[in-house]
Amino acid sequence: MQVIVVGAGQVGHTVVKSLAETHECTVIDIDEARLEAVSHAYDVRITRGSGTWRETLLEAGVADAELVLACTSRDEVNLVTAMLARRLSSARTVVRATGTDYLEAWRAGDLDVDLLVSTAFETASAVARVLHVPGARHVDFFAGGEVVVLGVDIREGRPPRFAGRPLRDAGLPAASRVVAVVRDGNWIRPTAHEVVRPGDWVIVMASPAAARAWSRLVTGADPVDDVALFGAGRMGTAIARVLLDKGISVRLIEPDAARARAAALDRARVFHATGLDPAFLRRERVGAAGAAVFADGDDSRNLYAAVLAKVHGVELTLTVLEDPAAAEVFEAAGTDVTIDPGDETAEKMTRFTFDERTHQMAMLGDDRFEVLDITVRPDSRFAHGPVDALPGAGVGAIVRDGTVFFPGGEDELRPGDRVIVLTEPDRVPAIEHDL
């Protein structure tokens, strides 16, 4: 596919990383240093200029493009880029919006773009998914919410009781399947004899009930219903609204008085306070919250606040990253989950580059893996064969005649099955071809 990516910042870079190996990409940006960085990392063409300039789009080859992804940090620039691309080509257009204001206009049909992806909304949704299954570092829902994809850390200090046992004897929840064990950076496709060890990262597909059972196995915790949320900016208020809509109680904590006043939300308690004040944390019993979420846009302040919250008794801490490179520091400091808004946005923006039989995709493990929901063709060479015969992939769930089940390795793939499959990014074209 001929793809134009407008914006080589954090989101644009992640989009290019996902697409460059399998599509012909041209990247547009006004910043020459950013263009040089992306061209050194990936096999892409570059064009210096703005996506709002007609000449720049024409120079980048918009007339022949099949997809234009406008993903700068400025919403209006992205919308104008999409409008111009519509006039200059037949390409489909995908627009990134930082907040949620334009999202409502797009849903109402008032914006003529094929897809609008809100960074704030996608990040808020990622937070809500993790709170639904505490103990998982990554959570995604597939097949209309009937399949939950979990990434679970097996902690060194307090491994769950199934660690050290063969999977077949581990008493794992029914209606679930372990599709990968990541150990020392290597992906193991587990058999029934595989033994999970402390330090492993385990990827599971499960029904919603089984996902909650996995959470209890790993942490002993049920879904979170009470959150202390630090930061009432655009991201923080978007997270608060999504959580409130899901019935989760929110205490919103903001050090800036004007922001705290502006963030008055129905059903949320808003405090003009700082997460760095131990007296406030004690007085408001923040340590009793089911989770603390840090989203004030400053990684250094979020790191200190997250550690302090742990000291005061918070069991589950989630941080929304400003700089994705900070993830390792947060994890080393004991933060349970880090969420990269760029990844969440890029994942949704790339959906039009997949085969039309692919209903949904997700990236996880720092983009190490992709999960696809794809329909098996009648002429697939893997139709009528066992699920474990698919090379370089792990099939975790099958939707057949509207019913979801979690197969054993010898269960048969059939034409028309929707399979939820885990693979590595460079294997995606082969998986789409083979199935």
Side-chain angles (χ1 to χ4, degrees):
M1 184 178 287
Q2 301 275 353
V3 180
I4 293 178
V5 179
V6 181
Q10 180 184 336
V11 174
H13 196 97
T14 305
V15 166
V16 172
K17 178 181 177 181
S18 175
L19 301 183
E21 289 206 9
T22 51
H23 301 281
E24 295 185 25
C25 295
T26 300
V27 183
I28 296 173
D29 201 289
I30 59 174
D31 188 319
E32 192 166 349
R34 282 181 170 179
L35 289 175
E36 288 181 2
V38 78
S39 66
H40 288 157
Y42 308 105
D43 183 17
V44 296
R45 295 176 57 226
I46 57 174
T47 301
R48 188 169 183 272
S50 169
T52 63
W53 300 342
R54 182 176 184 274
E55 296 77 9
T56 301
L57 288 175
L58 290 172
E59 181 185 347
V62 72
D64 298 319
E66 297 164 76
L67 181 64
V68 175
L69 302 166
C71 47
T72 77
S73 59
R74 297 177 62 188
D75 296 359
E76 289 75 17
V77 167
N78 294 336
L79 286 167
V80 172
T81 296
M83 291 167 57
L84 271 175
R86 284 281 206 202
R87 296 296 298 270
L88 298 173
S89 73
S90 60
R92 287 185 289 186
T93 53
V94 179
V95 166
R96 173 207 181 183
T98 53
T100 57
D101 296 340
Y102 289 119
L103 185 60
E104 294 305 316
W106 176 73
R107 286 173 174 167
D110 296 329
L111 295 176
D112 185 23
V113 298
D114 292 290
L115 179 65
L116 188 140
V117 181
S118 162
T119 296
F121 179 79
E122 296 303 334
T123 304
S125 298
V127 170
R129 291 194 300 266
V130 172
L131 295 177
H132 183 75
V133 191
R137 190 193 334 157
H138 180 98
V139 181
D140 258 304
F141 291 90
F142 278 72
E146 293 188 66
V147 177
V148 187
V149 180
L150 309 173
V152 178
D153 283 316
I154 309 302
R155 299 291 176 97
E156 296 278 359
R158 47 177 184 178
R161 66 175 185 270
F162 63 81
R165 303 180 189 177
L167 290 176
R168 65 181 180 184
D169 302 323
L172 300 178
S176 69
R177 190 176 196 221
V178 178
V179 292
V181 175
V182 182
R183 181 178 300 148
D184 299 327
N186 298 313
W187 175 22
I188 300 168
R189 291 179 61 186
T191 66
H193 304 284
E194 185 62 49
V195 175
V196 174
R197 305 172 188 168
D200 288 348
W201 190 49
V202 177
I203 302 173
V204 181
M205 297 190 195
S207 71
R212 290 190 289 272
W214 270 92
S215 178
R216 287 189 291 270
L217 272 178
V218 175
T219 67
D222 287 314
V224 172
D225 60 7
D226 171 29
V227 169
L229 173 57
F230 295 83
R234 176 181 289 172
M235 186 68 72
T237 52
I239 294 170
R241 289 192 179 98
V242 168
L243 298 186
L244 290 166
D245 286 346
K246 294 183 178 296
I248 297 172
S249 173
V250 174
R251 284 179 282 175
L252 187 56
I253 300 151
E254 170 57 52
D256 183 272
R259 270 188 174 181
R261 284 193 299 272
L265 297 168
D266 292 339
R267 298 169 289 143
R269 297 168 62 195
V270 181
F271 296 88
H272 173 216
T274 172
L276 311 181
D277 180 1
F280 169 78
L281 300 180
R282 285 193 297 269
R283 185 171 63 251
E284 295 301 328
R285 296 174 52 82
V286 169
V293 179
F294 302 89
D296 83 346
D298 184 308
D299 285 338
S300 298
R301 195 160 53 234
N302 282 339
L303 178 62
Y304 184 89
V307 173
L308 188 60
K310 282 283 193 184
V311 169
H312 282 261
V314 175
E315 289 288 333
L316 177 64
T317 53
L318 297 84
T319 300
V320 177
L321 297 173
E322 184 71 13
D323 179 1
E328 291 184 7
V329 177
F330 278 92
E331 289 168 13
T335 300
D336 297 292
V337 179
T338 56
I339 293 175
D340 178 1
D343 269 359
E344 300 300 326
T345 308
E347 177 182 301
K348 297 298 184 295
M349 293 192 75
T350 57
R351 59 173 288 192
F352 285 129
T353 63
F354 287 83
D355 188 288
E356 62 183 10
R357 292 174 297 116
T358 301
H359 304 274
Q360 185 181 344
M361 63 80 63
M363 298 182 287
L364 65 159
D366 194 25
D367 305 337
R368 166 78 188 277
F369 300 104
E370 292 190 10
V371 181
L372 306 177
D373 174 351
I374 186 168
T375 300
V376 179
R377 298 190 318 269
D379 60 345
S380 168
R381 65 190 181 98
F382 291 101
H384 305 294
V387 297
D388 279 353
L390 189 64
V395 176
I398 295 174
V399 184
R400 180 177 295 161
D401 299 325
T403 300
V404 174
F405 68 98
F406 299 87
E410 296 302 315
D411 282 336
E412 176 184 273
L413 288 176
R414 298 180 186 174
D417 282 350
R418 281 175 58 187
V419 296
I420 318 297
V421 57
L422 177 85
T423 190
E424 294 177 298
D426 60 359
R427 286 284 305 157
V428 168
I431 296 297
E432 291 184 323
H433 177 268
D434 290 343
L435 287 177

